Amino acid sequence: MAKTLVIVESPAKAKTIKKYLGNGYEVFASKGHVKDLPKKQNAVDVLNDFAETYEVIEGKEKVLEELKSAAKRADEVLLATDPDREGEAIAFHISEEIKNPRLKVARVEFHEITKKGVDHGVHNPRKLDENLYDAQRARRVLDRIVGYDVSALVWSKLAFGLSAGRVQSVALRLIVDREREVEAFVPEEYWNIAVGLTAASPPQRASFVGKLASADGKKLEVTNGEVAAKVRADLETAGYRVAKVARREQKRNPPAPYTTSKLQQDATNYLHFGAKRTMQIAQALYEGIDLKRDGGPVGLITYMRTDSTRVSDDAIAEVRGVVAKRWGKEFVPERPNIYKSKKNAQDAHEAIRPTSVEIHPDSIKKYLKDEQYKLYKLIWNRFVASQMNPAVYDRTTVEIDVSPTIAAPTYRSYLARASGRILKFAGWLQVTEGQQEFAGEEESAGAAPDGGGGAAPAPAEASAAEAERAAPGPAAEEDSEALLPDMKEGEALAVTPPGVVTDQKFTQPPPRYNEGSLVRELEKRGIGRPSTYAEIISKVQQRAYVEKREGGAFQPTLLGKFVVDGLVRSNLDIMDPNFTAQMEEELDEVGAGTLKREQLLKRFYKKFREQLDKSKKLAPWKPEAEKTDIVCDECGSMMLKKWGKNGWFLSCERYPKCKATRDLSDARGTAAVRETDISCDKCGKPMIIKTGRFGDFLSCTGYPTCKNTRPVPLGVACPSCGGDLIEIRPRKKGGRTFYGCSNWNAEQKCEFKLWQKPVPIPCPQCGAKFVSRTAGKKAMLVCATKECGFKQEIVEAEGEDGAVNGSAPLDAAAIVASAAAAPAVRPEPAEPAPAARPEAVPPKAGAPQGAAEKPARAVRARRTAS
């Protein structure tokens, strides 16, 4: 019997798909990328049309052998990797490895992992798309070139071991620029003035509040207490009369179903999930969850990397039927609501939606993890709401003439205004369960031009809070969530408690970015694409360039500011958000086949090299040393205040004769608690980095329910077993620090250890995964492979561990490389992280007693691709 081999990326997805295909099909998983650019200088041949040299990723040899073996038993191979550029690249690399003249190879796409979605994909094969592959190759080469060379520049100008990337550097600039706005903001005083009013004559009616809007026909802005007191005196004895009453019906349109960026924004704001965590949860929902029926896992949502609001006709028909059955026909629009995608949207996939609206979140809650249930419910609610009628309000606005009666009033006349509304028909709000703000709701104005969703603009509730924080003056008037009492034009009003109220306010600076608002800004500026938002945010956080404040807001560290300022002064195009957005559009053109990959890369590289060469001649970026009145404890000389990548420190002015230093921890600008992308191996919650008496350690955010702690990984894979290397500091006085494998107590015990600190930089001579840093009078980088013999001196800054002075002797293209080990599963596609911070990371607080040879507990750190 003929056999068809189907190759997907994820083992979980393979299991779900196998259920639907049955006999005659074998389903294997590639577990992400199988080939990648090696971390060597000659991986990209710039002079030969940027030709790449791809190599099988270390650890993937066994996977490839399994795929080749399975292909020999098959008559046809269907490459069903994810339906995006990265998936296309994986498909191309697999096809190259299993190439056989007799073997029929085709590409298929599964936009939803359901019986219908799998059957549709299998019965609609296509050829491999070389244009999509070229777009991915172009992005990979751009990121490699920029990551290596710009990281070398940052290293030489600022400090040893720092790094930068093509897109995350722009994201960091946005964070720094916003911080500068916050720092430069000068609060301005303003006063809100309102008065309680009611009808002056029977019948008695409810009271309401009128807000002062203008004086003598001009907008009134009260900026100090003196004027506020004078206006208050005018109003306390003034006469009030209804000037105008306006009543109208107001519609609030439903938002479009989720795109990737909108899902990440709402997940940040309402579920407090980071962008990367959101995509990991969504990936599991897409690949399949075992609902204990139909013989195995079921894909619950469509593909989650999309910028399209398009929805299939079948899905629209299904959801309209569910809405009519569940809430009634009055909630179903006459014609389906149609939403327009943004002009730069690739529109390759549908919007994110449930694969079947019949699967209600509550009906499968017991089969889902709590975070899966919350995200699925968010997606389900949004999709159902998108195909419902608008919410309808009765809105009343009343304008009130105010006539002062005292002699010599501050103003001759005033105008007050009151507005209120009441929900007349819930419409789509019926399914939102208390959610008030919705990412992208403002884009839904005119969502259904044929009458399905109305054409009235969406109200500004979604951004009202942010607008008030950033407003340069008094906040815009807000409707009270109630109808005003019936009033007639010309009717007299009387002051009622609380009477005249004057409320002092101060304008607020623009809010700092959090993950959701940064994704929104990236999307607005055209920086990145659905598949890259999460990785951009992740890269910004992984380095010590930003820290998260309470509430999730990003604040750049001093190090982050220095990096951005230096790169901006270097006049590199990559730091211009508009240039980065233009590059994204050109990559889209390569994917569409309208621009050649080589043409894009040549045009970019020529100007980039010119700018880079000029920037190398600039002065170092770090601040000059400052004199202090602090006396050195060792020699009695004065101390100087200096800056290193770990923050400010004091160094003796007699350096190098006196090497005394002192930490200025209060000025270091490092966070006491730092977030990570590492999940707790006991409860699955995110882990954070805390600092204890023995240094940094990973702690579960579920504390005190979960008290799990682990050492912080150094970012270097164990060459023996692939585990993480960790620093182990002995408690015994005089014991020697060493670096061991985190799998020392695993079932297959690993006893690998080093006495010299591993640095996550590949060797430029032999390509070894890391080099080691020696101690002593002359700090050296040496290859971890003894047979190689590579050595390179590190020129130290005064008193600082690891910083390089103005001119680094290291070869930028060869030395500065990504520290991350090859991933076991495919990560979010993004630019490389050329060099992780090489400083040592202490073990967890309360590490076990004993000799230095006893390493700390196992670490299972998630790794990202370079």
Side-chain angles (χ1 to χ4, degrees):
M1 182 176 179
K3 279 279 187 181
T4 299
L5 172 63
V6 180
I7 300 176
V8 297
E9 293 183 41
S10 162
K13 192 195 300 186
K15 185 178 179 181
T16 308
I17 291 171
K18 175 62 178 176
K19 177 187 76 170
Y20 295 124
L21 292 177
N23 295 330
Y25 291 87
E26 280 190 308
V27 186
F28 279 75
S30 70
K31 300 179 182 178
H33 281 279
V34 294
K35 297 170 73 174
D36 195 11
L37 297 178
K39 300 178 181 68
K40 295 180 181 179
Q41 186 175 1
N42 60 353
V44 178
D45 189 349
V46 175
L47 300 179
N48 187 25
D49 287 338
F50 299 89
E52 312 100 309
T53 301
Y54 281 98
E55 293 182 359
V56 175
I57 296 172
E58 187 176 348
K60 286 299 185 74
E61 296 86 356
K62 185 177 179 180
V63 173
L64 266 179
E65 286 302 317
E66 290 176 351
L67 296 180
K68 291 177 182 179
S69 177
K72 291 177 181 178
R73 302 191 300 268
D75 300 301
E76 181 183 21
V77 175
L78 300 180
L79 301 172
T81 48
D82 283 355
D84 56 18
R85 290 176 188 167
E86 293 292 312
E88 206 71 23
I90 296 171
F92 259 92
H93 291 158
I94 293 174
S95 68
E96 292 169 355
E97 292 297 316
I98 64 172
K99 196 170 184 179
N100 190 318
R102 70 163 187 83
L103 195 61
K104 182 181 178 182
V105 178
R107 176 82 163 100
V108 299
E109 295 183 351
F110 298 145
H111 296 278
E112 58 182 74
I113 311 301
T114 60
K115 175 65 175 173
K116 174 185 171 184
V118 171
D119 286 345
H120 181 271
V122 169
H123 292 104
N124 290 275
R126 63 168 174 82
K127 293 182 179 180
L128 287 165
D129 191 329
E130 192 166 353
N131 293 328
L132 277 181
Y133 179 40
D134 280 348
Q136 191 274 344
R137 292 170 60 202
R139 177 184 288 277
R140 190 74 180 91
V141 170
L142 281 172
D143 292 341
R144 171 60 67 91
I145 291 172
V146 172
Y148 279 28
D149 290 343
V150 176
S151 292
L153 178 67
V154 177
W155 187 340
S156 66
K157 297 296 182 184
L158 196 58
F160 173 86
L162 299 179
S163 59
R166 184 177 64 87
V167 180
Q168 71 262 26
S169 294
V170 179
L172 178 61
R173 180 180 181 177
L174 295 177
I175 294 172
V176 171
D177 286 350
R178 176 58 59 88
E179 186 66 23
R180 295 271 163 74
E181 291 180 47
V182 173
E183 292 170 349
F185 184 82
V186 179
E188 296 180 6
E189 180 183 7
Y190 69 94
W191 290 73
N192 285 335
I193 303 176
V195 57
L197 298 168
T198 189
S201 58
Q204 186 176 4
R205 280 158 281 176
S207 62
F208 62 95
V209 175
K211 298 178 181 179
L212 210 57
S214 64
D216 291 344
K218 297 180 180 179
K219 182 180 179 181
L220 179 62
E221 293 185 358
V222 180
T223 58
N224 59 68
E226 183 180 349
V227 175
K230 291 178 180 179
V231 172
R232 179 189 182 109
D234 288 350
L235 300 185
E236 286 177 336
T237 58
Y240 297 83
R241 188 171 300 276
V242 177
K244 181 180 179 182
V245 178
R247 296 182 178 88
R248 67 182 178 89
E249 186 177 84
Q250 181 187 49
K251 291 183 178 180
R252 184 177 178 186
N253 289 334
Y258 277 127
T259 58
T260 301
S261 68
K262 301 302 187 295
L263 177 63
Q264 291 172 354
Q265 291 170 44
D266 273 355
T268 295
N269 294 331
Y270 288 95
L271 305 181
H272 307 293
F273 295 165
K276 189 165 187 177
R277 185 181 177 197
T278 297
M279 297 309 289
Q280 290 169 343
I281 300 168
Q283 181 86 35
L285 295 174
Y286 164 70
E287 292 178 351
I289 302 294
D290 190 355
L291 304 180
K292 308 301 180 183
R293 60 192 186 196
D294 299 330
V298 176
L300 294 179
I301 64 171
T302 53
Y303 192 58
M304 64 285 159
R305 297 186 185 100
T306 178
D307 53 11
S308 174
T309 57
R310 176 174 51 83
V311 175
S312 70
D313 293 340
D314 290 344
I316 289 178
E318 183 188 33
V319 70
R320 284 168 64 85
V322 169
V323 170
K325 181 179 178 181
R326 196 176 186 89
W327 290 284
K329 292 184 178 180
E330 66 273 19
F331 286 86
V332 183
E334 182 179 345
R335 287 177 289 276
N337 293 337
I338 306 300
Y339 300 89
K340 293 182 180 179
S341 298
K342 297 171 73 78
K343 69 174 184 178
N344 60 346
Q346 295 175 321
D347 206 41
H349 319 296
E350 285 188 61
I352 304 171
R353 62 169 177 83
T355 54
S356 174
V357 183
E358 296 286 355
I359 305 177
H360 190 277
D362 292 339
S363 70
I364 58 172
K365 184 176 181 179
K366 63 182 178 181
Y367 304 114
L368 303 177
K369 296 178 182 178
D370 184 57
E371 59 186 11
Q372 292 174 338
Y373 167 74
K374 288 178 179 178
L375 192 66
Y376 179 64
K377 190 173 186 179
L378 201 68
I379 294 169
W380 193 94
N381 287 351
R382 174 90 168 213
F383 177 60
V384 173
S386 73
Q387 289 301 322
M388 295 178 73
N389 270 321
V392 181
Y393 295 87
D394 276 334
R395 189 174 189 272
T396 303
T397 303
V398 178
E399 293 185 353
I400 302 135
D401 283 335
V402 184
S403 303
T405 59
I406 63 174
T410 305
Y411 295 97
R412 293 188 301 274
S413 66
Y414 296 90
L415 178 70
R417 187 176 289 118
S419 58
R421 68 177 187 175
I422 190 168
L423 186 62
K424 180 180 177 182
F425 174 68
W428 65 277
L429 294 175
Q430 192 74 30
V431 301
T432 58
E433 302 184 38
Q435 186 176 346
Q436 298 297 317
E437 301 174 12
F438 303 85
E441 185 182 350
E442 69 282 354
E443 300 172 8
S444 300
D450 293 330
E461 285 90 341
S463 57
E466 185 171 316
E468 183 176 357
R469 289 194 296 269
E477 294 177 27
E478 298 176 2
D479 292 343
S480 62
E481 292 298 326
L483 276 179
L484 297 176
D486 288 332
M487 288 176 278
K488 297 179 181 179
E489 293 182 4
E491 182 177 2
L493 301 173
V495 177
T496 188
V500 180
V501 177
T502 54
D503 188 14
Q504 184 187 32
K505 298 280 188 178
F506 291 92
T507 55
Q508 298 296 310
R512 293 180 173 91
Y513 290 115
N514 62 15
E515 290 203 31
S517 59
L518 184 56
V519 168
R520 182 173 69 233
E521 187 68 17
L522 293 173
E523 181 187 35
K524 176 184 174 182
R525 291 173 176 264
I527 300 170
R529 287 296 182 261
S531 60
T532 64
Y533 294 136
E535 191 64 20
I536 292 170
I537 301 295
S538 177
K539 291 293 183 186
V540 169
Q541 293 181 78
Q542 284 176 4
R543 295 161 186 170
Y545 299 158
V546 299
E547 61 188 25
K548 270 193 174 181
R549 295 166 57 92
E550 186 176 354
F554 288 131
Q555 185 172 22
T557 60
L558 193 58
L559 176 61
K561 290 180 180 180
F562 285 159
V563 169
V564 168
D565 291 345
L567 290 175
V568 171
R569 286 200 302 271
S570 299
N571 292 318
L572 297 174
D573 282 344
I574 61 163
M575 293 302 292
D576 181 358
N578 294 327
F579 176 84
T580 305
Q582 177 63 33
M583 184 62 67
E584 294 289 355
E585 292 180 6
E586 292 182 359
L587 288 168
D588 290 344
E589 292 177 20
V590 174
T594 57
L595 178 65
K596 292 295 184 182
R597 164 187 170 276
E598 297 81 7
Q599 183 181 352
L600 181 152
L601 292 174
K602 286 179 180 178
R603 188 166 59 199
F604 167 80
Y605 189 72
K606 180 180 179 181
K607 190 174 182 181
F608 172 70
R609 288 304 312 180
E610 292 173 354
Q611 294 173 339
L612 194 66
D613 290 340
K614 290 180 181 178
S615 65
K616 291 179 179 179
K617 300 175 183 179
L618 299 176
W621 300 347
K622 65 175 62 181
E624 296 290 334
E626 301 175 13
K627 293 183 178 180
T628 72
D629 56 0
I630 301 174
V631 178
C632 176
D633 294 334
E634 295 188 14
C635 71
S637 300
M638 304 307 293
M639 304 285 279
L640 299 177
K641 181 181 176 182
K642 297 182 178 181
W643 181 88
K645 68 176 179 181
N646 293 323
W648 293 101
F649 66 99
L650 293 175
S651 173
C652 182
E653 65 180 357
R654 296 183 64 245
Y655 179 89
K657 291 184 178 180
C658 178
K659 297 183 179 180
T661 60
R662 191 184 306 173
D663 180 33
L664 292 177
S665 56
D666 59 333
R668 290 181 67 174
T670 54
V673 173
R674 286 160 280 163
E675 296 195 0
T676 73
D677 290 319
I678 301 174
S679 296
C680 177
D681 54 339
K682 292 188 176 180
C683 70
K685 291 186 177 180
M687 302 195 82
I688 55 177
I689 298 176
K690 290 186 176 181
T691 302
R693 59 182 296 196
F694 298 107
D696 291 349
F697 64 97
L698 290 172
S699 174
C700 181
T701 54
Y703 181 87
T705 304
C706 177
K707 298 181 179 180
N708 186 27
T709 60
R710 289 152 56 183
V712 180
L714 288 173
V716 178
C718 172
S720 179
C721 71
D724 291 299
L725 295 187
I726 56 177
E727 180 177 353
I728 302 169
R729 293 181 179 177
R731 287 191 176 185
K732 288 179 85 175
K733 188 174 181 180
R736 184 180 174 188
T737 296
F738 73 99
Y739 307 89
C741 180
S742 60
N743 289 331
W744 70 276
N745 64 347
E747 186 174 342
Q748 298 296 326
K749 193 170 184 178
C750 180
E751 297 181 352
F752 178 84
K753 66 180 179 180
L754 288 170
W755 294 108
Q756 298 170 339
K757 179 166 60 176
V759 180
I761 300 171
C763 175
Q765 289 186 188
C766 70
K769 292 292 185 181
F770 65 91
V771 293
S772 296
R773 177 188 174 88
T774 65
K777 292 183 178 180
K778 288 187 178 181
M780 304 282 290
L781 290 181
V782 299
C783 182
T785 306
K786 293 181 180 179
E787 294 77 14
C788 174
F790 168 76
K791 289 185 178 181
Q792 175 66 59
E793 181 181 352
I794 301 173
V795 183
E796 301 279 7
E798 297 178 10
E800 183 188 349
D801 179 27
V804 182
N805 65 12
S807 177
L810 305 177
D811 182 351
I815 302 291
V816 182
S818 174
V825 295
R826 173 189 162 193
E828 300 281 350
E831 69 252 43
R837 304 180 70 200
E839 63 268 28
V841 183
K844 73 181 184 73
Q849 298 274 2
E853 286 72 18
K854 186 176 181 181
R857 290 189 299 176
V859 174
R860 300 182 188 90
R862 290 185 181 176
R863 298 194 174 278
T864 54
S866 60

